[in-house]
């Protein structure tokens, strides 16, 4: 975990000319660096954030698109992505046990897309003027988040923003919107945001597992008593509704696919 965090801290210190090769707002680019959000040109406010993201699975398909600097990048990040994927499957199997689904229910198409997304926030002279990341819920299946030793992540609970505690080497697990749908509304997908820090640089590593574009998402049959809470959809259909108007509005997207009572 420390090696990977150090690799990313070094990556962001590399000269701008090297990092510029990765700069893109094209969602179809599998490895890209951007500032604020992907909707940079249309968003109402900009956010105090640089983000570096790339696909990790299948490794052989993507590793050549990754940076080769710092020199150990590919070695360290490939091990990290393999181990975090294994950990995510263990957590998903515990979830299966908890809600009453067969082991391995989420394996295959429902979790094929595996992305690493690293946020980097340089010190912000006036944190009251901007956020490091907008208020949002993760649209994917499940997320693992490794924080560094600088606070910033907050979740919304009972109308109040609560800072997520920093525990060295602890990993934050965030249930995504697809887990809410597949569990037929048993899971809460937390609303969260990132605030900036006036003095310290903050770097976090997120590992996102999500459905493949072709998988059909619907509430798992064993968890439906009478009517499913949501109708079936594909992940691209969901993302299109979620990002409509550059809003990333979870309630809007969920309501769009919710079966009315
Ligand atoms: O950087 C963080 O603490 C949170 C990141 C996050 O919420 C996200 O990437 O979706
Ligand atoms: Fe998030």
């Amino acid at each position: 975990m420390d090696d990977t965090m150090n690799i990313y801290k070094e990556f962001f210190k590399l000269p701008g000319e090297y990092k510029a090769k990765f700069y893109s707002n094209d969602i179809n680019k599998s490895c890209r660096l951007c500032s604020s959000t992907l909707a940079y040109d249309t968003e109402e406010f900009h956010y105090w954030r640089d983000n570096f993201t790339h696909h990790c699975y299948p490794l052989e398909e993507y590793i050549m698109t990754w940076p080769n600097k710092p020199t150990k990048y590919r070695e360290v990040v490939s091990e990290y992505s393999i181990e975090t994927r294994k950990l995510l499957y263990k957590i998903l199997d515990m979830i299966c046990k908890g809600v009453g689904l067969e082991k391995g229910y989420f394996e295959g198409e429902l979790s094929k897309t595996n992305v690493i997304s690293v946020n980097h926030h340089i010190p912000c002279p006036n944190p009251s003027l901007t956020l490091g990341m907008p208020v949002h819920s993760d649209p994917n299946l499940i997320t693992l988040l490794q924080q560094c030793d600088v606070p910033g992540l907050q979740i919304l609970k009972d109308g109040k923003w609560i800072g997520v505690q920093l525990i060295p080497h602890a990993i934050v697990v965030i249930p995504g919107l697809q887990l809410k749908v597949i569990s037929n509304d048993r899971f809460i997908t937390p609303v969260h945001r990132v605030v900036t820090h006036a003095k310290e640089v903050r770097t976090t590593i997120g590992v996102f597992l999500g459905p493949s574009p072709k998988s059909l998402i619907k509430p798992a049959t064993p968890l439906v008593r009478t009517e499913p809470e949501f109708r079936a959809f594909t992940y691209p259909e969901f993302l299109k509704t979620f990002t409509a108007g550059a809003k990333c509005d979870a309630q809007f997207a969920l309501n769009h696919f919710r079966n009315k009572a």
Side-chain angles (χ1 to χ4, degrees):
M1 288 174 81
D2 291 341
D3 287 353
T4 312
M5 184 57 82
N6 288 335
I7 285 280
Y8 282 114
K9 287 188 183 286
E10 278 177 50
F11 174 79
F12 279 101
K13 280 188 206 147
L14 289 170
E17 300 84 66
Y18 180 73
K19 288 182 290 183
K21 291 204 294 189
F22 298 97
Y23 196 87
S24 174
N25 279 339
D26 178 359
I27 195 160
N28 296 314
K29 222 173 155 235
S30 68
C31 179
R32 61 169 189 264
L33 179 69
C34 76
S35 289
S36 187
T37 77
L38 277 182
Y40 191 89
D41 293 333
T42 50
E43 65 196 5
E44 198 178 351
F45 309 105
H46 294 314
Y47 295 88
W48 199 267
R49 167 198 191 222
D50 291 322
N51 175 258
F52 182 61
T53 184
H54 62 59
H55 281 262
C56 298
Y57 185 83
L59 196 55
E60 326 73 75
E61 203 173 300
Y62 292 109
I63 195 165
M64 296 313 284
T65 67
W66 297 3
N68 50 15
K69 286 184 197 166
T71 41
K72 288 206 150 193
Y73 186 98
R74 292 182 185 176
E75 187 189 321
V76 171
V77 176
S78 53
E79 190 184 346
Y80 186 82
S81 60
I82 291 166
E83 293 306 320
T84 47
R85 191 172 169 86
K86 277 193 217 156
L87 177 59
L88 276 159
Y89 278 119
K90 274 193 193 157
I91 295 169
L92 285 169
D93 275 340
M94 288 192 261
I95 288 174
C96 287
K97 203 170 170 192
V99 296
L101 288 173
E102 79 217 41
K103 194 168 180 268
Y105 187 90
F106 294 100
E107 269 167 41
E109 297 297 324
L110 287 178
S111 57
K112 201 166 177 191
T113 306
N114 189 172
V115 166
I116 199 160
S117 168
V118 181
N119 283 336
H120 182 74
H121 314 270
I122 58 171
C124 175
N126 188 345
S128 71
L129 292 180
T130 182
L131 285 172
M133 238 194 131
V135 175
H136 71 283
S137 292
D138 292 357
N140 54 307
L141 183 67
I142 188 166
T143 308
L144 288 188
L145 183 77
Q146 179 184 341
Q147 304 188 85
C148 67
D149 52 1
V150 179
L153 178 62
Q154 298 183 331
I155 63 159
L156 189 62
K157 185 163 188 290
D158 305 326
K160 290 203 182 93
W161 287 107
I162 299 173
V164 174
Q165 212 187 336
L166 288 175
I167 304 169
H169 297 113
I171 284 177
V172 179
V173 181
I174 306 177
L177 293 171
Q178 305 315 309
L179 197 56
K180 181 177 174 66
V181 170
I182 296 166
S183 70
N184 203 31
D185 243 355
R186 281 173 173 71
F187 270 84
I188 292 172
T189 302
V191 174
H192 53 288
R193 68 179 187 180
V194 175
V195 294
T196 57
H197 199 285
K199 300 244 157 39
E200 308 277 353
V201 176
R202 179 172 188 266
T203 308
T204 61
I205 309 170
V207 181
F208 291 71
L209 223 53
S212 75
K214 63 178 182 197
S215 61
L216 194 67
I217 295 143
K218 57 179 173 25
T221 312
L223 304 183
V224 177
R225 291 227 177 84
T226 45
E227 282 295 303
E229 293 293 329
F230 302 92
R231 62 187 164 90
F233 53 81
T234 66
Y235 194 41
E237 275 172 338
F238 185 89
L239 290 180
K240 200 170 157 209
T241 314
F242 181 70
T243 54
K247 279 234 163 58
C248 293
D249 189 332
Q251 279 321 315
F252 176 75
L254 289 172
N255 286 340
H256 184 78
F257 296 103
R258 196 179 277 283
N259 284 324
K260 304 287 177 290

